[in-house]
Amino acid sequence: LSPTGFSEKLPGPAVLLNMRQVRDNAQAMFDRAQAAGVSFRPHFKTHQSVEVGACFLELGVEQITVSSWSMAQAFVAAGWRDLTVALPWQPGASEALSQLLGQCSQLGVVVDSEDAVQALLAEVQRWPARHRDGLRVWVKLDAGYGRAGVNWTNQACLESMFRSLHQAGLVAQGLLFHSGHSYDVTGQSAIAALHAECLSRVLPLREQLEAWCADGHCRLSMGDTPTCSLLNEWGPVDEIRPGNFVYYDLSQLEIGSCGVEQIAASVLCPVLSVDAAAGRMLLHGGAVHLSKDRMQDQHGVHFGQLAAKPFRGSWLLPHEGLRLNDLSQEHGKVLGSAELLKHFRCGDLAQVFPVHSCLACDLHRHYWTIEGRQLSRIG
Amino acid sequence: LSPTGFSEKLPGPAVLLNMRQVRDNAQAMFDRAQAAGVSFRPHFKTHQSVEVGACFLELGVEQITVSSWSMAQAFVAAGWRDLTVALPWQPGASEALSQLLGQCSQLGVVVDSEDAVQALLAEVQRWPARHRDGLRVWVKLDAGYGRAGVNWTNQACLESMFRSLHQAGLVAQGLLFHSGHSYDVTGQSAIAALHAECLSRVLPLREQLEAWCADGHCRLSMGDTPTCSLLNEWGPVDEIRPGNFVYYDLSQLEIGSCGVEQIAASVLCPVLSVDAAAGRMLLHGGAVHLSKDRMQDQHGVHFGQLAAKPFRGSWLLPHEGLRLNDLSQEHGKVLGSAELLKHFRCGDLAQVFPVHSCLACDLHRHYWTIEGRQLSRIG
């Protein structure tokens, strides 16, 4: 496929990556972690690609985070040996966990309730002894996001979980948390305030829990892309696990985590018809290609923005004046001015920038690079 | 896999189908079309499964609708030979179209602008002559939905498109429309009024366009599940193309298209943790398993409802008191009363009823039946 040959070859929507920017984004976050002296364990849920993952391996990164058991299995099959599954463990994943422990050098497992701890301890009894060596148990803490984990005010529950693990000989690594509420604020000072608030909740707990941790040190693992992108240091945390930064997207742009030129993933969508006079364009590009994640701005809700010109082989930038106004399963309805829409014709490829790159990329089996190379996604 | 063995075997979310209800839904719509004397060309975009499609074949249905070129290719590979691709054609799909014409007995193609007509006519010149025999061209009409198609008031454009096709020897079948705005109303009388309004726009056009149609008859093809489910006859239409009715979902329940027992698709999600006292439960079940399609009711926005008990091998019904309140990539946050949540424990399987079954099912590679049989999804 030649750089300009996409239009003739794509019967439907496809993800287009700017791989040079992907590498720059990976390098930049790697450098930030190095400078701050924290471990870097990038989350691979955003790209879910062995080839994109190789960009991190080239930097010397051998520790990764995944968000499901099937994702762990796929990356272990691709040769990765030090993973954290950042989704609370539950008994249905016992078989997957046992298999993975037989293959990994280190496998991080997260528990987020006393029930889960007890179920995990019951499982451990059934394993070969060598499986314990690679197991790294983290206790999930809710430091303010309100999604998963034990609430930071529930010290008794946390102590009980750490104690149970310790007594069974499964010494905990420490506390793992995710400040997903950073997605609700914008700008560096708001993110800094939110992170300071998290630390003010986490640090006193850390002191209380140290006695039951491996080497008497209660490790702290945190992970959201806004906090990791907008702050230069994160206080006494041991590890960062951001994922979205590899591609960034319109949501991150709004938060302030990235510049518009750092967005590295888009979806090429064939133009079906254009009614420039009416300010409308129809794309083959719907909820099954972009996801129904949405943003709100002063003009209302939208599902993505488009580049101001059709794609002709060179990476473009999103334009606020071309909005994906509505999505059904396969169709996308674009609103914009006649002035902008007059550049498009039936059969052109529109470069669409999704609201949330993780969800949009999860919907595709393959990626394309600008150079016309096809990369695979796992699963 | 035994009926009660799901909990031990599912490390992550999976679609669970009630195949008896799927067959009943298929039979009921088939009977409605028969009684009304219209052709039945079910849309396969909802299930995208060769095995589910076989339920229609057993009824004698040999004509189907699909919504993308890749879906057409997959169903042709599975033996279907009479398809309509209900997505406007664009030149990037030329290669796919040409291949499909070589394999199908009839292939319906939709055009929704004069530009598309001209591009299609240019393509036709390059084909072997026998490809024309199977080609069935439909002109897409916007009869009020405002998504795709030529607006019903733009008679000049419609006449020009039909005339261009006629002059080139590609005689049009007629007008194809989709009343997607039926999803914005509820109840039979509102749906009946909306359909009457559509017909009042379509029928005068039909008269004007007959001269340029195959056999001097301008066929009408329509398709939304609410109109097809709630009305017993549809006036002088030739064909219906509903899709969602095979599974229905919470959206259709709200519209009034189905009863709650007619919903035939759900997603089994492992329970990660329960905090009954706080009225919260965390599931492994996120946007990549359920889609971010949402509904609004008196309690606010939600992304699905749960059955009131854990799944133990028998099909359950959704309960309004257990709502999927928020979704991230892999996590789902459920809100409900302590009274309801006390039945769930870490490792149970929650039966989640998605807002929109088409989008939820598109996210999975396989289906499970209650009997523990795995069915494949195409693509």
Side-chain angles (χ1 to χ4, degrees):
Chain A
L1 197 72
S2 74
T4 52
F6 284 98
S7 305
E8 291 72 42
K9 296 289 179 187
L10 286 186
V15 174
L16 182 75
L17 295 184
N18 182 344
M19 279 303 288
R20 206 178 68 175
Q21 190 60 49
V22 166
R23 283 172 206 280
D24 285 354
N25 292 347
Q27 180 80 55
M29 193 61 82
F30 177 81
D31 291 344
R32 299 168 74 74
Q34 288 271 62
V38 304
S39 284
F40 182 40
R41 184 183 284 279
H43 207 314
F44 276 21
K45 78 183 177 71
T46 304
H47 60 78
Q48 298 182 53
S49 163
V50 172
E51 288 110 322
V52 176
C55 300
F56 290 92
L57 202 58
E58 287 163 18
L59 295 172
V61 174
E62 296 188 353
Q63 309 180 328
I64 66 171
T65 309
V66 296
S67 61
S68 72
W69 302 96
S70 56
M71 215 183 287
Q73 288 164 328
F75 280 110
V76 167
W80 295 84
R81 290 291 174 265
D82 183 351
L83 295 83
T84 295
V85 182
L87 177 90
W89 178 84
Q90 50 87 19
S94 300
E95 220 170 283
L97 173 58
S98 177
Q99 280 171 9
L100 287 165
L101 282 168
Q103 299 169 288
C104 290
S105 63
Q106 294 199 26
L107 187 70
V109 170
V110 173
V111 284
D112 83 334
S113 70
E114 180 71 41
D115 269 6
V117 169
Q118 294 306 325
L120 181 63
L121 295 180
E123 276 305 312
V124 170
Q125 313 303 322
R126 301 169 40 204
W127 293 342
R130 62 187 162 77
H131 275 24
R132 287 175 167 237
D133 298 342
L135 184 66
R136 300 287 180 274
V137 184
W138 292 88
V139 174
K140 177 90 176 185
L141 180 75
D142 175 7
Y145 180 24
R147 183 183 65 176
V150 180
N151 190 277
W152 78 93
T153 59
N154 199 347
Q155 191 176 325
C157 177
L158 289 165
E159 284 184 7
S160 164
M161 291 167 71
F162 275 79
R163 197 183 302 116
S164 296
L165 290 166
H166 192 267
Q167 285 169 353
L170 284 188
V171 185
Q173 296 297 296
L175 295 166
L176 182 142
F177 59 102
H178 174 68
S179 296
H181 50 322
S182 65
Y183 281 64
D184 300 330
V185 302
T186 56
Q188 190 177 32
S189 62
I191 294 284
L194 191 140
H195 185 56
E197 185 186 52
C198 280
L199 286 182
S200 75
R201 292 163 176 172
V202 175
L203 295 180
L205 290 170
R206 173 191 231 182
E207 273 185 51
Q208 298 299 318
L209 301 167
E210 269 178 353
W212 295 298
C213 290
D215 318 317
H217 175 56
C218 178
R219 287 162 188 76
L220 300 181
S221 173
M222 56 158 275
D224 62 296
T225 282
T227 306
C228 293
S229 298
L230 277 165
L231 304 188
N232 290 317
E233 58 95 35
W234 305 282
V237 306
D238 299 86
E239 175 181 273
I240 60 169
R241 312 181 316 272
N244 177 281
F245 72 94
V246 69
Y247 295 154
Y248 288 117
D249 53 33
L250 294 183
S251 305
Q252 297 292 343
L253 182 65
E254 194 193 24
I255 293 166
S257 312
C258 65
V260 70
E261 74 290 346
Q262 286 177 281
I263 299 177
S266 61
V267 182
L268 291 181
C269 297
V271 173
L272 299 177
S273 56
V274 189
D275 188 345
R280 283 172 40 177
M281 175 160 74
L282 187 69
L283 302 181
H284 184 193
V288 300
H289 312 107
L290 291 151
S291 98
K292 276 216 144 174
D293 230 351
R294 58 182 70 196
M295 279 175 79
Q296 176 105 30
D297 63 15
Q298 71 271 29
H299 306 293
V301 163
H302 72 84
F303 300 88
Q305 289 174 356
L306 281 71
K309 292 184 299 184
F311 176 73
R312 303 255 188 257
S314 302
W315 189 262
L316 302 167
L317 297 178
H319 191 291
E320 289 184 0
L322 283 180
R323 299 152 57 85
L324 202 46
N325 194 62
D326 206 3
L327 289 179
S328 47
Q329 184 163 345
E330 300 264 355
H331 299 74
K333 190 169 135 184
V334 176
L335 298 187
S337 68
E339 190 59 34
L340 287 168
L341 289 171
K342 74 177 185 194
H343 299 295
F344 292 86
R345 293 200 54 186
C346 174
D348 281 341
L349 289 173
Q351 194 176 352
V352 179
F353 295 85
V355 167
H356 187 174
S357 60
C358 306
L359 295 190
C361 291
D362 182 79
L363 294 164
H364 296 262
R365 300 282 171 93
H366 297 100
Y367 296 128
W368 292 91
T369 68
I370 308 173
E371 297 76 23
R373 201 157 62 92
Q374 205 179 35
L375 311 182
S376 61
R377 198 178 67 68
I378 59 161
Chain B
L1 196 70
S2 74
T4 52
F6 283 97
S7 305
E8 291 72 42
K9 296 289 179 189
L10 286 186
V15 174
L16 182 77
L17 295 183
N18 182 344
M19 280 304 289
R20 207 177 70 176
Q21 190 60 50
V22 165
R23 284 172 205 281
D24 285 355
N25 292 347
Q27 180 80 55
M29 192 61 80
F30 176 82
D31 291 345
R32 299 169 75 75
Q34 288 270 59
V38 303
S39 285
F40 182 40
R41 186 183 284 278
H43 207 314
F44 275 22
K45 78 181 176 75
T46 303
H47 59 78
Q48 299 182 54
S49 163
V50 172
E51 287 110 322
V52 176
C55 299
F56 292 92
L57 202 60
E58 286 163 20
L59 296 172
V61 173
E62 296 187 353
Q63 309 180 327
I64 66 171
T65 309
V66 296
S67 60
S68 72
W69 302 95
S70 56
M71 215 183 288
Q73 289 165 326
F75 281 110
V76 167
W80 295 84
R81 290 290 175 265
D82 183 350
L83 294 83
T84 295
V85 182
L87 176 90
W89 179 84
Q90 50 87 18
S94 300
E95 218 171 285
L97 173 57
S98 177
Q99 279 172 8
L100 288 164
L101 282 167
Q103 299 168 286
C104 290
S105 64
Q106 294 198 27
L107 187 71
V109 170
V110 173
V111 283
D112 83 335
S113 70
E114 180 70 42
D115 269 5
V117 169
Q118 294 307 325
L120 180 64
L121 294 180
E123 275 305 312
V124 170
Q125 312 304 321
R126 302 169 39 204
W127 294 342
R130 62 186 163 76
H131 275 23
R132 286 172 167 240
D133 298 342
L135 184 68
R136 300 287 180 272
V137 183
W138 292 88
V139 174
K140 177 90 180 186
L141 180 75
D142 175 8
Y145 179 25
R147 183 182 65 174
V150 179
N151 190 277
W152 78 93
T153 60
N154 199 348
Q155 191 176 327
C157 177
L158 289 164
E159 285 185 7
S160 166
M161 290 167 71
F162 275 80
R163 197 185 302 117
S164 296
L165 290 165
H166 192 267
Q167 284 169 355
L170 284 189
V171 184
Q173 296 297 297
L175 295 166
L176 182 143
F177 59 102
H178 174 69
S179 296
H181 49 322
S182 65
Y183 282 64
D184 300 330
V185 303
T186 57
Q188 190 178 32
S189 63
I191 295 284
L194 190 140
H195 185 57
E197 185 186 52
C198 280
L199 287 182
S200 75
R201 293 163 176 174
V202 175
L203 295 180
L205 289 171
R206 173 190 229 180
E207 273 185 50
Q208 298 300 317
L209 300 167
E210 268 177 355
W212 295 299
C213 289
D215 319 316
H217 175 55
C218 179
R219 287 161 187 77
L220 300 181
S221 173
M222 56 159 274
D224 62 295
T225 282
T227 306
C228 294
S229 298
L230 277 166
L231 305 187
N232 290 318
E233 59 93 36
W234 304 282
V237 305
D238 299 87
E239 174 181 275
I240 59 169
R241 313 180 316 275
N244 177 281
F245 72 94
V246 68
Y247 296 153
Y248 289 118
D249 53 33
L250 295 183
S251 306
Q252 297 292 343
L253 182 66
E254 193 191 24
I255 293 166
S257 311
C258 65
V260 69
E261 73 291 347
Q262 286 178 281
I263 299 177
S266 61
V267 182
L268 291 181
C269 297
V271 173
L272 300 178
S273 55
V274 189
D275 187 347
R280 284 171 42 178
M281 174 160 74
L282 187 70
L283 301 181
H284 185 192
V288 300
H289 312 107
L290 292 152
S291 97
K292 275 216 142 172
D293 232 350
R294 58 182 70 196
M295 280 176 78
Q296 176 105 31
D297 65 15
Q298 71 271 28
H299 305 295
V301 163
H302 72 83
F303 300 89
Q305 289 175 355
L306 281 71
K309 292 184 299 183
F311 176 76
R312 305 253 188 255
S314 302
W315 188 262
L316 302 167
L317 297 178
H319 190 291
E320 290 183 2
L322 283 180
R323 300 152 55 83
L324 202 45
N325 194 62
D326 205 2
L327 289 178
S328 48
Q329 184 164 344
E330 299 265 354
H331 299 75
K333 190 169 135 184
V334 176
L335 298 187
S337 68
E339 192 57 36
L340 287 167
L341 289 172
K342 74 177 185 194
H343 299 295
F344 292 86
R345 293 199 55 187
C346 174
D348 280 342
L349 288 173
Q351 193 176 352
V352 179
F353 295 84
V355 167
H356 186 175
S357 60
C358 306
L359 295 191
C361 291
D362 181 80
L363 294 165
H364 296 261
R365 301 279 172 93
H366 297 100
Y367 296 128
W368 291 92
T369 69
I370 307 174
E371 298 76 24
R373 200 156 62 92
Q374 204 178 35
L375 311 182
S376 62
R377 196 178 68 69
I378 60 162

